[in-house]
Amino acid sequence: MGPNRQKLEPYARRLIRLFVPLLRIGIIGAGGAALGIHIPGFRLCPEVEIAAVCDPDPKAAEKTGAPSVMSYRDLLARDDLSAVVNATPNYLHYEITLEAVARGKHILCEKPLSLDTSRATEMLRAAEAAGVIHMTAFTYRYTPALQYMLHLVSSGELGAIRAVRAAYQMALSGHLLGWRSTKTQAGSGVLADIGSHLIHMVELVAGPIASLSASDRQFREDPASDVEDWCAFLAEFSNDATGVFEISRVCPGRGAGITENIFIELYGSQGSAVFSLQDPWGLQVSLGENARDPARPLERLSVPDEFLKVSGSLRDVHAHDRRWGYRYDQAWQFVESIRTGQIRSPSFADGVRCQAVLDAVLASAASRQWVKV
């Protein structure tokens, strides 16, 4: 970001305060996603107030620093709230979201959108019928390096995508237990929890998955759990590309939030690009003349400034740890969508699309056969 833009941003904030009405938002669920992503993100948005937070644990709600209520229905009944964030466990997304849109609330719902494609589709149809802004919280899509990778694909720098290798590797940690360990509350294990992120990211840059063949395993001997800890699948894309995916939370050394890694490798007819969450401001690439020399190693490209944040965002990209600061742009986009009346990706339609892939992976792992998405 250049010095002129830095000088202009304070004036832009003042103009927003003069001409934009205050937007009041309610947060349902005060867990890690709310505390680490949603609330910090909204507090960077001018003329936005987190007016109420609901959580069954009063101590969790107190950590937010916002007024708290015990019942989400009391929160949804408030006429002064225009929008809500549904940051509850997966099994509560469906019921709470339907009640929210029935009251005309714009809604940002955590991923995965629901427990299966049928319910996720019903949530999408309800939001469309209510005419509200709807968004699915795929936070990692805002990673600067992934946005730059998308630019390289859409501009034709890589040519036709031929092969994809993708993985999300994480060590087991305490926050992955509890409700995330049961099918009735989570839908699936590692697949729903972090695989939903990876699938959305890959489809964003490589196109939709058409069919797949999957396998899964439960490695932990945990009587309280009935979900997988690891899964992998081969994929065929609609554009004839092929893919290999691995999703695991039994990777020692890949601690959640510190050394966990998402990597996506794209190999095209004209070049290649490699994304790693460990380097969110850089890509490893082979492009142009370099791609024509098979012995030449990949080189690192820094992400250009224009991809470091969502267009129009007033966030200072240097004010936060580059590993996480981009996630706050999700709140900015949600707020701007409400103010402009424009539904933008990732909407509930993206959540439904991801859910369809999740369901196909589970069906394939159970049948040991190829399944169409």
Side-chain angles (χ1 to χ4, degrees), residues 100-121:
V101 299
R103 290 184 172 272
K105 308 296 186 187
H106 305 297
I107 184 159
L108 167 58
C109 184
E110 267 299 329
K111 58 78 212 166
L113 199 52
S114 192
L115 299 179
D116 55 54
T117 307
S118 176
R119 276 175 274 201
T121 302

Side-chain angles (χ1 to χ4, degrees), residues 90-91 93-94 112-124 183-188 192 348 351-360 362:
N90 301 352
Y91 71 101
H93 291 178
Y94 173 77
L113 199 52
S114 192
L115 299 179
D116 55 54
T117 307
S118 176
R119 276 175 274 201
T121 302
E122 189 176 344
M123 293 162 67
L124 169 62
K183 291 179 182 178
T184 56
Q185 294 182 308
S188 59
F348 278 10
V352 171
R353 171 65 205 174
C354 180
Q355 197 78 52
V357 179
L358 301 183
D359 286 0
L362 294 175

Side-chain angles (χ1 to χ4, degrees), residues 145-164 202 204-207 239 241 264-275 283-288 290-292 298-299 301:
L146 190 75
Q147 289 297 313
Y148 187 37
M149 177 182 270
L150 176 60
H151 167 75
L152 294 178
V153 172
S154 60
S155 63
E157 291 281 348
L158 304 185
I161 302 301
R162 293 170 170 172
V164 179
V202 170
L204 178 67
V205 295
N239 58 10
I264 300 170
E265 300 180 352
L266 300 184
Y267 297 100
S269 59
Q270 303 297 324
S272 59
V274 176
F275 164 90
L283 279 180
Q284 298 289 327
V285 301
S286 179
L287 301 172
N290 293 345
R292 296 182 180 90
L298 296 168
E299 61 177 337
L301 285 185

Side-chain angles (χ1 to χ4, degrees), residues 11 13 52 97 125 150 156-157 169 182 187 206 208 335 345 354 371:
Y11 296 103
R13 290 181 182 276
T97 296
R125 298 293 176 247
L150 176 60
E157 291 281 348
Q169 300 164 319
T182 65
V335 169
S345 181
C354 180
V371 171

Side-chain angles (χ1 to χ4, degrees), residues 240-257:
D240 292 331
T242 59
V244 180
F245 290 72
E246 182 185 22
I247 305 155
S248 176
R249 59 184 179 195
V250 286
C251 297
R254 292 293 185 186

Side-chain angles (χ1 to χ4, degrees), residues 159-176:
I161 302 301
R162 293 170 170 172
V164 179
R165 293 183 67 245
Y168 196 148
Q169 300 164 319
M170 182 185 286
L172 184 67
S173 63
H175 86 280
L176 299 174

Side-chain angles (χ1 to χ4, degrees), residues 208-229:
I209 296 169
S211 60
L212 55 85
S213 178
S215 178
D216 62 14
R217 292 282 299 275
Q218 181 178 355
F219 285 105
R220 292 179 297 138
E221 296 181 0
D222 182 354
S225 176
D226 62 353
V227 298
E228 82 291 344
D229 306 306

